[in-house]
Amino acid sequence: MSEVFKSLSPAEFFYRNREIAGFSNPARALYQTVRELVENALDATEVHGIFPLIRVYVERDSNPSHFTITVEDNGIGIPPQYVPQAFGQVLFSSKYRLRQTRGMFGLGAKMAILYGQITTGKPVEVITSPLNSKRIYMFKLMIDIKRNKPIVLEKSSWPKKKNWHGTIVSVSIEGDWSRAKSRIIEYIRRVALITPYAEIIFQGPDNTYLHYTRVVAKLPKPPKEVLPHPYGVDLEAVKMMIASTNEKNLIDFLTKSFQGIGRIIAEKFLKEAGFDPDRDPKSLNIDEIKVLVNKLKSFNEFKPPRADPLSPIGAELIAIGLKQILKPEFVVAITRRPAVYEGHPFIVEVGVAYGGSVPQVQEPILYRYANKIPLLYDEKSDVLWKIISTFDWHQYGITFPAPLAVLIHICSTKIPYKGVGKESIADVPEIEREVKNALREAGRKLRTYIQRKRKLEETYRKLTLFVRYIPEIAQGLEVLSINPKSKKKELSSDVIVDKLISILSNKLENVNITKDLINKIVVAIE
Ligand code: ADP
Ligand code: MG
């Protein structure tokens, strides 16, 4: 019997393998749907300089295992001509560019829509108005899975009365709120932690209501699109670049299609690599392209990849977020300088929160983020967990149990995820080194704080001792300073306190000794 051959459309592939994208069961699908829609909302706002205002609603439908998830944003909106493909064609995206965004795969929203279509049979509803548009557009659509094409069931538009811009997406899926609830709440909290510049409202089907207000009027630096770097391309990428270039010789091709290659360096490189600079790039055969790619990767005089396409959160915003959400007594945040692995630029950021409302734990609480996306699953297989759990905290003044939480953010044009689930980061030596350096840098500041605090506590302890002996000191003072001839009169306690302050202030330079402090200590002792 002969085999039957056929091909799958991308929509059918992801329909069959939906667990790859996190849609493995109703609980996970509910979580993933919230996540994909919220991430699209954030990409449509902060990357474009808009302070995000995001509303998320999860409502139970008449069928109790069906839920409608609605996410509304104040972003740039979507031009109506692109709405059907953006939501009805798998692998259609505005983010296939070399700059950091949360979505990069052209998949997220469509997976939620596909899952909804399979489990509830309902279409997605999209209401949108682009930034300078005078109208609002509404679409109801489904995905033709076999052809990977949108099916528009309904569309309409009406003039805008208010100056609103943004997008509202509603998807109905089979879900499991009771099992997904805690993860979803944690996800929203972790998003809020690194977006103190956003207002986020979440309403669940029970009485769950979360409201994170905007606490700072500062956005992270937006990412800029860049050309590929010669160390970060492979054979296929260079083939495609040659196919689409209009340049007529290799010198122009290299300098115009890549970052980090100036004219002089291009000439030097081509000479060393044995290519004629005037050669038409389209005339290279596959073996020559292979040689070119290998030589590009091993030539070490190109400028390192630029960090422009990256958008770190920034130490200031991390510190504000940690203070706001965790209410620690001490916080330190570090943004490292850009580094590179395999030709991809990356930046590591670390935030450490200590004491206050941070719970006492046996090992640090870890908040992982990749390109500003909180990672909640597969913590123990993540390289970040490996680093944090083997880090020598003792050297930095921490003995567990301790009230310690650590945030680590990796941003890159290519996050080295472990496996297809995109929930944990693989071991990459360059990243590991940067994370450790960032932890050490933060650790040193934490140690200074802890040492200072211990010293202060020690000073208070000594002060307490002093104050305990006030009566004796007072007597001593009396004996010394009262003229025996005068009538025996009591020294007022005010005078004693003043004297004590002056004596102690001289002895304990770092402590601000006030009357109030001494009185408090006296009260405490009594
Ligand atoms: P990805 O986010 O990886 O590009 P999605 O399927 O999640 O893939 O979204 C597809 C495209 O639809 C996005 O690239 C974006 O252009 C557009 N889009 C989705 N949601 C929004 C939104 N809330 N505001 C503006 N554009 C959006
Ligand atoms: Mg997306």
Side-chain angles (χ1 to χ4, degrees):
M1 216 170 63
S2 66
E3 296 286 3
V4 179
F5 293 90
K6 65 177 256 184
S7 73
L8 290 184
S9 82
E12 193 168 6
F13 173 80
F14 284 105
Y15 162 69
R16 291 184 183 200
N17 299 291
R18 46 194 172 273
E19 63 288 342
I20 290 181
F23 288 78
S24 43
N25 59 59
R28 189 76 192 260
L30 187 54
Y31 164 79
Q32 199 68 29
T33 299
V34 168
R35 184 183 143 168
E36 295 294 354
L37 299 185
V38 166
E39 278 153 21
N40 281 348
L42 286 163
D43 278 344
T45 46
E46 61 165 78
V47 176
H48 305 274
I50 301 168
F51 288 107
L53 166 54
I54 298 173
R55 295 190 170 89
V56 185
Y57 305 96
V58 177
E59 293 159 291
R60 204 184 282 276
D61 295 350
S62 49
N63 177 335
S65 61
H66 290 182
F67 295 84
T68 298
I69 300 99
T70 303
V71 175
E72 175 181 343
D73 66 59
N74 59 338
I76 54 167
I78 309 160
Q81 68 272 29
Y82 293 120
V83 171
Q85 279 167 296
F87 292 94
Q89 182 175 336
V90 172
L91 308 187
F92 184 90
S93 171
S94 62
K95 301 176 200 165
Y96 293 144
R97 299 159 68 179
L98 215 46
R99 64 169 191 185
Q100 175 198 330
T101 48
R102 288 172 170 83
M104 307 204 140
F105 303 100
L107 193 63
K110 271 82 77 177
M111 284 310 300
I113 295 163
L114 261 180
Y115 192 83
Q117 189 168 319
I118 302 161
T119 54
T120 70
K122 288 193 186 150
V124 59
E125 185 180 304
V126 182
I127 296 173
T128 188
S129 186
L131 268 182
N132 295 315
S133 166
K134 295 193 164 49
R135 299 185 75 78
I136 295 177
Y137 302 87
M138 190 283 293
F139 291 81
K140 281 191 186 171
L141 55 90
M142 292 179 103
I143 302 173
D144 178 339
I145 297 175
K146 285 264 177 252
R147 293 169 53 235
N148 190 26
K149 286 267 160 12
I151 308 168
V152 177
L153 302 172
E154 233 182 285
K155 68 177 184 187
S156 60
S157 90
W158 56 92
K160 220 155 47 175
K161 290 209 182 77
K162 282 192 293 182
N163 189 23
W164 177 75
H165 56 82
T167 303
I168 307 171
V169 180
S170 274
V171 186
S172 297
I173 65 163
E174 185 188 354
D176 184 338
W177 171 249
S178 63
R179 276 181 52 225
K181 177 177 173 175
S182 61
R183 292 266 186 185
I184 292 177
I185 290 175
E186 186 58 17
Y187 169 79
I188 299 283
R189 191 171 87 103
R190 291 192 187 201
V191 168
L193 202 160
I194 57 154
T195 56
Y197 48 82
E199 179 169 359
I200 303 175
I201 294 163
F202 176 87
Q203 195 152 8
D206 44 23
N207 285 328
T208 308
Y209 180 77
L210 311 169
H211 187 175
Y212 293 98
T213 51
R214 177 152 73 80
V215 294
V216 59
K218 184 181 174 190
L219 286 170
K221 177 183 76 81
K224 281 203 199 106
E225 190 174 0
V226 291
L227 293 170
H229 191 276
Y231 300 151
V233 292
D234 56 21
L235 180 63
E236 280 310 312
V238 176
K239 263 164 66 185
M240 284 191 272
M241 288 164 80
I242 290 177
S244 62
T245 188
N246 292 324
E247 304 305 332
K248 295 285 174 256
N249 61 58
L250 279 175
I251 280 266
D252 288 343
F253 171 67
L254 289 181
T255 51
K256 304 260 170 63
S257 315
F258 290 92
Q259 55 160 305
I261 310 187
R263 256 199 121 67
I264 295 170
I265 288 295
E267 271 166 23
K268 188 168 176 200
F269 164 76
L270 288 169
K271 196 167 166 208
E272 279 183 24
F275 286 96
D276 174 2
D278 291 326
R279 180 105 183 253
D280 183 345
K282 291 201 198 312
S283 73
L284 297 177
N285 66 32
I286 188 73
D287 290 327
E288 288 171 314
I289 302 178
K290 250 187 232 164
V291 174
L292 180 73
V293 172
N294 286 336
K295 299 260 178 190
L296 279 172
K297 280 185 185 295
S298 57
F299 187 76
N300 52 23
E301 291 181 50
F302 298 129
K303 283 190 215 126
R306 300 159 60 118
D308 301 8
L310 304 183
S311 173
I313 304 160
E316 187 189 344
L317 290 175
I318 292 178
I320 292 172
L322 283 171
K323 273 189 209 150
Q324 181 71 8
I325 304 291
L326 301 184
K327 311 249 181 298
E329 69 176 53
F330 173 79
V331 55
V332 53
I334 306 282
T335 299
R336 296 280 300 171
R337 291 157 63 95
V340 179
Y341 84 93
E342 291 168 20
H344 310 293
F346 71 95
I347 292 178
V348 167
E349 299 185 282
V350 157
V352 171
Y354 176 82
S357 299
V358 179
Q360 290 274 347
V361 279
Q362 288 298 344
E363 35 194 25
I365 304 169
L366 174 60
Y367 294 102
R368 296 176 293 142
Y369 295 86
N371 283 352
K372 299 184 189 154
I373 300 174
L375 306 179
L376 263 68
Y377 287 89
D378 306 341
E379 177 180 81
K380 295 285 173 333
S381 63
D382 195 309
V383 66
L384 301 181
W385 176 257
K386 189 186 97 185
I387 297 171
I388 209 119
S389 58
T390 54
F391 192 70
D392 185 7
W393 291 103
H394 203 73
Q395 202 190 325
Y396 298 94
I398 301 277
T399 329
F400 289 101
L404 183 70
V406 179
L407 177 155
I408 305 179
H409 177 222
I410 315 278
C411 60
S412 178
T413 42
K414 189 165 191 293
I415 300 279
Y417 285 114
K418 220 176 202 176
V420 282
K422 299 205 296 294
E423 283 286 351
S424 68
I425 296 170
D427 299 36
V428 172
E430 292 88 340
I431 293 187
E432 210 171 319
R433 193 179 57 230
E434 273 302 302
V435 171
K436 282 186 183 154
N437 283 339
L439 282 174
R440 289 189 194 111
E441 217 178 311
R444 282 194 291 274
K445 298 208 166 121
L446 176 63
R447 182 174 57 202
T448 308
Y449 170 77
I450 290 176
Q451 282 169 349
R452 212 174 274 156
K453 189 182 162 189
R454 291 212 178 116
K455 221 165 159 185
L456 210 67
E457 279 168 357
E458 178 68 1
T459 312
Y460 281 146
R461 204 180 57 77
K462 282 190 188 145
L463 257 181
T464 314
L465 277 178
F466 270 117
V467 174
R468 188 168 289 164
Y469 296 112
I470 281 182
E472 274 111 296
I473 296 172
Q475 238 169 27
L477 287 171
E478 202 175 349
V479 171
L480 286 173
S481 64
I482 305 288
N483 182 351
K485 279 186 199 150
S486 71
K487 262 192 141 191
K488 197 172 168 80
K489 67 170 186 223
E490 283 205 11
L491 262 180
S492 80
S493 63
D494 266 1
V495 175
I496 299 171
V497 170
D498 281 345
K499 275 201 190 278
L500 265 176
I501 290 174
S502 82
I503 295 166
L504 295 177
S505 300
N506 280 337
K507 290 207 183 303
L508 306 163
E509 283 173 3
N510 296 336
V511 188
N512 182 19
I513 295 158
T514 58
K515 247 181 208 171
D516 194 42
L517 173 67
I518 294 200
N519 285 335
K520 268 193 197 140
I521 296 172
V522 172
V523 171
I525 291 167
E526 280 171 3

